[in-house]
């Protein structure tokens, strides 16, 4: 079975400093991995996805993530945080089977301090 | 702009009522999903469907049923609402090539059972 663990339930950074949101996964197959973002009272938006191509994946709004098979990790980073990045972030793995269900992590709430 | 539309943004229902949550997508997607979102638990899969009249249980199907009579519409049914079903419900759809195109989520229905 697939699973993801987001190692921090809440991360707080100052505007202009780097962001690191940590995610470890477990998968019996070659996984597809995603990061989604949810702003307050908004739907989920896809930030980026890894589907067995390049291990460093670039997404929208300056975010990127690196797939590390040896560490079973898929951490999300951004060099410089903006106030608009304040949101909840979900690391997601797909089981790659059939209808390709998504399995979500518990979420990390990112707070940006002025 | 492609869309997944959930019929209600907010609902308040009484314990024991039969509740219908509706979801419509306009992308001709084969797969449709119902998740519930609770703080600290991320999103958990209730039911999904990979074709008209087909349905599969997700991780937490107890107390729920679904209906998919047309390709574009996927309904979630709470047979007898209970207070522990108070939650945010999110519908999503994807094509069979979801690993390339990702999922599209609706804005969610916040259900309160009193």
């Amino acid at each position: 079975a697939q699973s993801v663990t987001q190692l921090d339930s809440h991360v707080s950074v100052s505007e202009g400093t780097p962001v690191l949101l940590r995610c470890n996964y477990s998968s019996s197959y070659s996984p597809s991995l995603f990061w989604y973002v949810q702003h307050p009272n908004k739907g989920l938006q896809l930030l980026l996805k890894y589907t067995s191509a390049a291990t460093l994946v670039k997404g929208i709004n300056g975010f990127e993530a690196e797939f590390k098979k040896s560490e079973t990790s898929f951490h999300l980073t951004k060099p410089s945080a903006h106030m608009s990045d304040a949101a909840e972030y979900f690391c997601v793995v797909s089981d790659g089977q059939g209808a390709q269900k998504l399995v979500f992590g518990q979420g990390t709430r990112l707070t940006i301090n002025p | 702009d492609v869309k997944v539309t959930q019929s209600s943004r907010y609902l308040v229902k009484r314990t024991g009522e039969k509740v219908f949550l509706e979801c419509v997508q306009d992308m001709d997607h084969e797969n449709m999903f119902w998740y519930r979102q609770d703080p600290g638990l991320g999103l958990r899969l209730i039911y999904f469907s990979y074709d008209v009249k087909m349905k599969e249980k997700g991780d937490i199907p107890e107390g729920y049923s679904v209906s998919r009579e047309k390709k574009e519409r996927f309904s979630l049914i709470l047979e007898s609402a209970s207070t522990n079903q108070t939650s945010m419900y999110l519908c999503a759809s994807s094509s069979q090539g979801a690993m390339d195109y990702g999922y599209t989520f609706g804005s969610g229905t916040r259900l309160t059972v009193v």
Side-chain angles (χ1 to χ4, degrees), chain B residues 34-100:
Chain B
W34 275 106
Y35 289 86
R36 65 176 281 177
Q37 181 178 10
D38 300 289
L41 296 178
L43 277 72
R44 292 177 291 166
L45 182 64
I46 304 171
Y47 267 96
F48 66 101
S49 168
Y50 53 88
D51 202 352
V52 176
K53 295 190 184 297
M54 305 302 289
K55 60 185 178 184
E56 295 274 353
K57 292 180 180 179
D59 300 317
I60 51 165
E62 295 79 18
Y64 303 94
S65 62
V66 290
S67 172
R68 194 169 183 198
E69 296 297 318
K70 295 184 177 182
K71 190 175 186 180
E72 67 271 19
R73 185 180 295 270
F74 192 37
S75 302
L76 180 69
I77 304 157
L78 287 64
E79 298 290 344
S80 176
S82 64
T83 55
N84 63 13
Q85 292 177 310
T86 292
S87 187
M88 172 70 87
Y89 290 87
L90 289 165
C91 176
S93 71
S94 71
S95 70
Q96 293 294 358
M99 295 307 101
D100 294 326

Side-chain angles (χ1 to χ4, degrees), chain A residues 38 49 51 100-102, chain B residues 35 37 48 99-100 103:
Chain A
Q38 186 179 37
K49 57 181 182 276
T51 56
Q100 299 161 337
K101 299 172 291 181
L102 298 183
Chain B
Y35 289 86
Q37 181 178 10
F48 66 101
M99 295 307 101
D100 294 326
Y103 285 58

Side-chain angles (χ1 to χ4, degrees), chain A:
Chain A
Q2 322 290 299
S3 67
V4 289
T5 301
Q6 293 183 242
L7 299 172
D8 306 291
S9 59
H10 185 210
V11 170
S12 181
V13 303
S14 297
E15 191 175 19
T17 64
V19 175
L20 170 63
L21 304 184
R22 299 181 295 164
C23 172
N24 287 348
Y25 71 90
S26 173
S27 174
S28 303
Y29 309 96
S30 296
S32 293
L33 292 159
F34 308 80
W35 277 96
Y36 279 83
V37 61
Q38 186 179 37
H39 288 93
N41 299 313
K42 301 279 188 177
L44 283 151
Q45 180 183 18
L46 181 66
L47 269 182
L48 50 80
K49 57 181 182 276
Y50 166 78
T51 56
S52 75
T55 56
L56 183 60
V57 181
K58 294 188 184 298
I60 61 172
N61 301 333
F63 285 94
E64 61 182 38
E66 186 171 9
F67 174 71
K68 291 187 176 180
K69 187 175 181 178
S70 61
E71 299 176 10
T72 61
S73 69
F74 190 57
H75 301 334
L76 180 71
T77 61
K78 183 174 181 177
S80 177
H82 294 168
M83 294 300 293
S84 60
D85 294 328
E88 186 143 22
Y89 292 79
F90 294 96
C91 182
V92 183
V93 65
S94 170
D95 66 2
Q97 304 295 303
Q100 299 161 337
K101 299 172 291 181
L102 298 183
V103 177
F104 283 74
Q106 301 91 327
T108 298
R109 181 161 299 281
L110 177 63
T111 300
I112 312 296
N113 302 310

